[in-house]
Structure formats: C-alpha cells, structure tokens
Amino acid sequence: MDQTITDFRKIPLYQKRYFVPESANLRDADTVLDLFEKLVSWPVRTAEDRDAWVLARSEMEAAMDQEAAVLYIRMTSYTDHEPFARDYQAYVEGISPISRQAKHDLDVKFLALAEDFSLEAPFDGVYEKEVRADVQLFREENIPLATQLELLSQEYQTLCGGLMVFFDGEERTLPQMNRYMQSPDRGLREAAWRAAAERRLSEQSRLDELFDRMAALRGRQARNAGFDSFTPYQFRAYHRFDYTPEHCFDYHQAAQEMLVPLWGKILRRRQNSLKLDVLKPWDLDVDRLGRPALSPFKNVDGLKRGVGNILENIDPEFSRAFKMMSDNGLLDLASRKGKAPGGYQHTLAEARQPFIFMNAVGLDGDVRTLLHESGHAYHALACAHHALYSYRHAPIEFCEVASMSMELLGGEFLSEFYNEEDQRRSHEKHFEDVVWTLLWVATIDSFQHWIYAHPGHTPQER
C-alpha cells in the first residue's frame, strides 16, 4: 500500500458515550447482541424514560454505523488488501444480520411506546413515519438476502478496483486513462478509449452475472414484503413519502423535451469546432478548440491547497473544516491500483466528521469533484449537532443540493488554479457537465425503472 492508513480510533468522538461502553468490541457478535438486548428490555415507565431510551438507541446506531463505515472505507480504498476485505466480509456476515433484526425489534418497541406516551419533537413527524415504514417492510427472510447483496457489492468493488490497463508504457487505473481523453491527439484518444473499453469488456460476463444475481435478489426482497416489483418496495425503503415513480416519469419526459435538444446543440457545436464529420466517444472530453487539457495541479497536495483556498474565499468556516479533515487523515484523493472507482463522502457517525474518497488524476473535473464532495461534507457537519442519529443525514433526494451548490459557489474562485482564459474554459465545461448530469440522471433512472419492471430479462435485453 502506497499511503498511510488513517487510524480512525484516534479521531475523537463528538461526545462521550453513556450507553455503549468505550471498550465495547462492536465486531464481536456476543457484545453486539448483549447491547441490543439491553435496549430491547430497557424499562420505560414515563415519556422521559422513552426519550432517554431513544437517545441510547441513537448512540448505539451511531457507534455501529461508524464501525461499518471504517470497514467500508478501508475495503474500497484498498480492494486488493486481503485483511481489509476479510474484515468487511466478516462484519457483513456476522454483525449486519444482528443489527437488522435488532433494528426491527427496536422499531416495534418505539411504536408501542408511541401508543403509551404522546410523541413530541423530535420524535413525531418524519421520524415516526420512517419507523412505521420500516416495520411494515421488515421480513425476517430478507435479512440473509441483504447480506448476499452486500457481499455481491463488495465483489463488484473489488473487480472494478482491480481493472488496470497497460498503456503508453505503464500500467494505469481506469481513472488515470481519462487523462488521455483530453489530449489534442485524436489518434491517442481513440487508442486510450478502446484500451479502457476493451478492459471493461473483458469482464463483461462477470459483471453481467453480478448484475443478474443482484437484480434477482432485490426482486425476491420485494415479493417477500408483498410488492409486485422492487421499485415500489425501494421507494418505501428510501422513505419517499412525497413523490412516486410517476413523478420520475414526468422528469424523464421533461429531460427528453428540454435537455436532449440542448445537448444536441452542444454536441453539434463541438463537432463543428473540431471540424469532424462524425463525433466519436473519444471526442467528448477534449477541448473543443483543440487546446491542451487544463492541468490545475500536479499532485493531490496542490489540489488540497487550491481547494482549501477556494473554500477560504467562500467562507473561512469551510476552510477550517477542510483543514480539520486533512489533518485527521479524512481525505483520500489520489487514484491508485486497487482503489474502488468513483468518489463519495462518508460520515463517521460517532465522531460526526466526514471522510472524502475520490480518484484524482490531475484534471479540471477533479477540482469540481473535490468541491462537490466538500459540499456533502459540510452538509454532514451542519447536521452534527442533532441529538438524534436519524436526523444527522438527509434523504438521498436532498443530498446533492449541498454538493452541487458547492461546485457553483467554488467556481467563482477558480483563479486559485487558472488564469482568466482557463477559468472561462472550465466554466464552459462545467455548464456542459451540468446539462449532461441532468440527462444522465434521467437516463439511469429510466434504466432502473425498466430493469425492475422486467424481471428475468437477459443481459442482451438490458
């Protein structure tokens, strides 16, 4: 491994535990069972007892969440490191099933207490609706299915993290291959695109098998819970109380009518600027005027320094929080062999501090990505004061508000990386990316609706 592993145990907790012992080994099944059994049997005689019980449960959930988060972060950061893979798998197989059953038992107890004692903030409203939805969905036979899905997801991460391409004299990760997509040399772009595509296609049968197995397991989960397909089941599991699949279809139609024509104009302008008879996949990221790719930084230290200065310009509070994350080892930014693809922000629920994961390779998009994940991070920090664990994270529909907003706010200060001309180039590309993202969301969402509306379909059909 080419990076120092963060010792998450040294990151201080947000507040002292009062229910979960400091020495508790939350990877030990007997310890976890004992703590959950204490919560289930906790005597509640008054509304004040009920409130204390909910907060003790909240502490337990946060402790379990952080334990799982650390294992997930390590597994995705080094998918080729066997000890991390084993630790994650052991948790998924040995502890997660206990937590799922215990969560249901605690949900049932909460609803019983809601009958005995009137609910007031913060337990009424959304929290109660979420608990009722979860109780309605729970089926004991779905616990092992959820475990299988987590293990298949780990298998996918490991497979993708190991995809390497020997190109231009070196072995490179797929994110590193993206650099070539911005080269003015069209022949080099095509060769790099084909090399990366062929590497992905070499794993097609394994990826198709994983997809088939996961889709089938999700269908079984839904049928076990009394649903015809996975889509309405998952809408309920995501606590989507305020919109339906039909609203998604309205969005798909709006994207078709408004964004597809706009994207067509963007592509035609690109084709004309590049003087091409036919626009190919390897022509979509290169500068449309044939200029060399923007190169905002040489290494991740330069990326951190520049983004830190941007955040200082927006608000010094953002900059202080970013420095805290850096000092605590909560930024894993560079692409490397064995690292899972993509990027994410994951909150350490007990420390109430965010961790940022990405695959930077020195491109303009890396600056936007770090700003994006920083938006998620500050959203998490802004929620840290909530006593109730359930209220310290937003539903997935709202999460991107913070991240996309931070991209736009940070875009005003790109002089930390670029001269005036290059800032204009970056803004133009960002506008195109926003249009594409809105289309991509509609495309992927439409695809997912189709997947679960057609169980048993073949890889060729999808």
Side-chain angles (χ1 to χ4, degrees), residues 232-258:
Y233 168 85
Q234 191 64 4
F235 263 63
R236 195 70 178 167
Y238 276 153
H239 302 141
R240 290 176 174 168
F241 304 122
D242 303 308
Y243 74 102
T244 68
E246 285 67 32
H247 291 101
C248 297
F249 303 149
D250 291 342
Y251 174 67
H252 302 165
Q253 186 63 33
Q256 176 71 33
E257 294 174 359
M258 302 178 67

Side-chain angles (χ1 to χ4, degrees), residues 163-177 180:
L163 292 181
M164 302 291 293
V165 178
F166 190 82
F167 189 81
D168 197 21
E170 288 185 28
E171 191 178 45
R172 303 180 189 277
T173 66
L174 291 184
Q176 288 167 349
M177 293 296 290
Y180 293 98

Side-chain angles (χ1 to χ4, degrees), residues 26-28 32 63-69 71 85-97 99 147 150:
L26 299 180
R27 301 184 198 177
D28 176 71
V32 171
M64 297 296 294
D65 187 325
Q66 179 155 320
E67 194 71 33
L71 295 172
R86 286 196 303 270
D87 287 347
Y88 179 78
Q89 183 174 343
Y91 191 90
V92 167
E93 293 179 317
I95 304 301
S96 293
S99 298
T147 298
E150 284 191 273

Side-chain angles (χ1 to χ4, degrees), residues 42-200:
W42 185 300
V44 177
R45 299 180 181 87
T46 65
E48 289 74 19
D49 289 344
R50 187 271 320 278
D51 293 352
W53 173 79
V54 173
L55 291 176
R57 174 189 178 174
S58 185
E59 179 187 292
M60 179 67 177
E61 289 176 325
M64 297 296 294
D65 187 325
Q66 179 155 320
E67 194 71 33
V70 169
L71 295 172
Y72 179 82
I73 289 167
R74 288 179 171 174
M75 182 272 292
T76 53
S77 297
Y78 299 95
T79 64
D80 52 354
H81 187 59
E82 279 299 318
F84 290 168
R86 286 196 303 270
D87 287 347
Y88 179 78
Q89 183 174 343
Y91 191 90
V92 167
E93 293 179 317
I95 304 301
S96 293
I98 296 172
S99 298
R100 289 190 176 95
Q101 179 64 60
K103 180 185 182 305
H104 174 68
D105 295 340
L106 296 173
D107 283 345
V108 170
K109 176 165 182 165
F110 174 82
L111 294 181
L113 293 174
E115 296 294 325
D116 296 335
F117 308 103
S118 60
L119 292 175
E120 298 177 358
F123 308 128
D124 60 346
V126 173
Y127 183 74
E128 183 186 3
K129 287 177 70 174
E130 291 177 348
V131 171
R132 289 191 184 280
D134 291 343
V135 169
Q136 291 166 4
L137 283 182
F138 180 82
R139 299 293 186 278
E140 189 174 346
E141 59 267 33
N142 278 344
I143 293 177
L145 302 187
T147 298
Q148 291 179 55
L149 281 165
E150 284 191 273
L151 294 175
L152 289 173
S153 179
Q154 179 188 8
E155 187 176 340
Y156 170 79
Q157 298 276 20
T158 302
L159 191 160
C160 292
L163 292 181
M164 302 291 293
V165 178
F166 190 82
F167 189 81
D168 197 21
E170 288 185 28
E171 191 178 45
R172 303 180 189 277
T173 66
L174 291 184
Q176 288 167 349
M177 293 296 290
N178 290 334
R179 290 185 61 87
Y180 293 98
M181 294 300 97
Q182 299 188 20
S183 169
D185 183 339
R186 195 181 191 212
L188 181 63
R189 295 200 306 272
E190 179 179 357
W193 186 91
R194 291 188 181 279
E198 288 167 4
R199 182 66 185 93
R200 290 190 182 94

Side-chain angles (χ1 to χ4, degrees), residues 295-446:
S295 184
F297 58 92
K298 289 183 168 52
N299 51 49
V300 292
D301 286 338
L303 173 62
K304 287 196 289 186
R305 182 167 54 252
V307 168
N309 290 339
I310 288 175
L311 297 171
E312 175 72 25
N313 285 322
I314 300 172
D315 191 307
E317 182 180 345
F318 292 156
S319 178
R320 287 192 294 271
F322 188 76
K323 183 178 184 304
M324 174 273 294
M325 286 188 280
S326 182
D327 291 345
N328 287 345
L330 299 177
L331 302 175
D332 184 1
L333 309 182
S335 178
R336 59 178 176 272
K337 183 178 181 179
K339 190 175 183 181
Y344 62 75
Q345 179 269 315
H346 207 324
T347 303
L348 303 174
E350 271 205 295
R352 305 190 196 182
Q353 293 188 24
F355 178 92
I356 292 177
F357 170 107
M358 62 178 285
N359 279 273
V361 294
L363 299 176
D364 177 61
D366 296 330
V367 176
R368 303 283 183 177
T369 297
L370 185 51
L371 286 170
H372 179 103
E373 300 303 340
S374 295
H376 286 308
Y378 302 130
H379 194 178
L381 289 169
C383 298
H385 66 283
H386 285 292
L388 201 59
Y389 162 78
S390 181
Y391 286 169
R392 293 202 291 270
H393 52 85
I396 194 68
E397 293 80 7
F398 195 79
C399 289
E400 301 309 319
V401 172
S403 56
M404 299 299 286
S405 297
M406 189 61 80
E407 288 187 49
L408 295 167
L409 291 168
E412 297 297 313
F413 303 101
L414 291 181
S415 57
E416 293 294 337
F417 290 102
Y418 300 129
N419 60 33
E420 195 169 323
E421 178 188 351
D422 286 346
Q423 286 182 68
R424 284 196 295 269
R425 287 178 60 187
S426 179
H427 286 313
E428 179 182 307
K429 184 64 168 64
H430 189 230
F431 169 76
E432 293 181 357
D433 288 345
V434 168
V435 175
W436 168 246
T437 296
L438 292 170
L439 275 170
W440 177 84
V441 168
T443 302
I444 297 304
D445 188 60
S446 178

Side-chain angles (χ1 to χ4, degrees), residues 283-297:
D283 299 321
L284 300 181
D285 288 328
V286 66
D287 179 75
R288 66 182 180 87
L289 299 180
R291 294 167 291 191
L294 292 173
S295 184
F297 58 92

